[in-house]
Amino acid sequence: MASSIYRGFFLFVFLFSFDAAISSSHGAELGSARVVFQTNYGDIEFGFFPNVAPKTVEHIFKLVRLGGYNTNHFFRIDKGFVAQVADVMGGRTAPMNLEQRLEAEKTVVGEFSNVKHVRGILSMGRYSDPDSAASSFSILLGDAPHLDGQYAIFGKVTKGDETLKKLEQLPTRTEGIFVMPTERITIHSTYHYDTKVDSCEREKDILRRRLSESAREIEKWRINCLP
């Protein structure tokens, strides 16, 4: 019994150390902001790596806050490789307002890093110019080491792998180098929230309940024990 507990403890420590080493070597730490894309096949939630690609994160998050990705779509679904979001300048069905257009027209300097292209990673699309990334980005559906150091990684999926699996099962067609879905995969709407704020709100609710319970208990003691 003792030996099995020891082996289990050793395995836990090993796995924890291994994960910590990966995070440390890549330097990719998730910020507290979360974005949710609501598609016709389910939700996809992701977070950002502000310490890895700060300018890219700022640009993409601003587009999200402005509603720039609403009515956009995934133009590319290449099973085991990428699901790519279209550039919002041409991918939306709704017209853009001036503020959305001004942000969407911007390009971001190539913020290349040593973070690896593995399933769930978010990686900017671009042309041959390394500083040409705008609003199109890919969600990795598998490991793609040949992309490492060539495209700016700025975040990763935190929830919604089941949605990605649904997308991978859709029928596709090939156009040049692109594998594309035969039907439109629409990003109907988006929203964002902050995990720190939400966590604090829950903690404040718990604290308020405990303080209320303590106050009632103290009042009961006062009535029973004090003149």
Side-chain angles (χ1 to χ4, degrees):
M1 177 68 176
S3 62
S4 62
I5 293 173
Y6 175 78
R7 285 195 299 272
F9 176 74
F10 177 79
L11 179 61
F12 169 78
V13 171
F14 173 78
L15 291 174
F16 178 81
S17 301
F18 182 71
D19 288 342
I22 290 176
S23 299
S24 176
S25 65
H26 293 169
E29 297 179 4
L30 276 176
S32 59
R34 296 290 182 273
V35 167
V36 179
F37 279 8
Q38 297 179 299
T39 81
N40 48 327
Y41 284 93
D43 293 356
I44 303 169
E45 178 189 286
F46 55 86
F48 297 110
F49 296 145
N51 65 319
V52 172
K55 294 183 184 298
T56 304
V57 168
E58 181 183 8
H59 173 61
I60 297 298
F61 195 31
K62 186 172 182 180
L63 275 173
V64 170
R65 295 197 305 271
L66 292 173
Y69 287 95
N70 295 352
T71 76
N72 198 18
H73 69 116
F74 286 86
F75 81 92
R76 184 182 187 184
I77 301 292
D78 198 336
K79 186 175 182 179
F81 183 35
V82 295
Q84 189 167 354
V85 178
D87 190 296
V88 299
M89 291 292 291
R92 288 165 48 105
T93 55
M96 303 183 79
N97 61 38
L98 179 59
E99 193 174 11
Q100 290 170 335
R101 183 172 293 278
L102 288 175
E103 188 63 30
E105 287 174 345
K106 295 178 181 178
T107 55
V108 189
V109 62
E111 296 180 297
F112 309 127
S113 67
N114 65 344
V115 182
K116 304 301 182 185
H117 282 78
V118 296
R119 185 177 179 88
I121 281 291
L122 308 184
S123 179
M124 290 298 291
R126 64 173 178 84
Y127 297 104
S128 56
D129 180 352
D131 300 331
S132 61
S135 59
S136 177
F137 65 88
S138 295
I139 301 175
L140 272 291
L141 300 176
D143 296 352
H146 63 286
L147 302 181
D148 292 347
Q150 305 297 315
Y151 295 86
I153 288 174
F154 65 96
K156 72 173 184 178
V157 172
T158 50
K159 293 179 184 176
D161 192 59
E162 64 283 356
T163 300
L164 296 180
K165 289 176 181 176
K166 289 179 186 177
L167 300 186
E168 288 185 280
Q169 300 307 312
L170 296 176
T172 58
R173 68 181 190 278
T174 301
E175 290 190 15
I177 65 169
F178 297 120
V179 179
M180 309 167 73
T182 56
E183 62 180 89
R184 185 179 176 88
I185 302 170
T186 302
I187 302 167
H188 291 298
S189 60
T190 64
Y191 66 91
H192 60 89
Y193 68 97
D194 193 294
T195 56
K196 284 185 178 178
V197 172
D198 283 9
S199 176
C200 287
E201 286 301 319
R202 288 193 295 270
E203 289 169 358
K204 283 192 287 187
D205 285 342
I206 293 170
L207 181 58
R208 278 193 290 266
R209 288 197 299 271
R210 288 180 177 174
L211 287 173
S212 178
E213 292 167 359
S214 297
R216 287 195 297 270
E217 189 70 16
I218 291 170
E219 180 64 13
K220 184 176 69 175
W221 290 348
R222 187 192 67 77
I223 293 171
N224 293 338
C225 303
L226 296 177

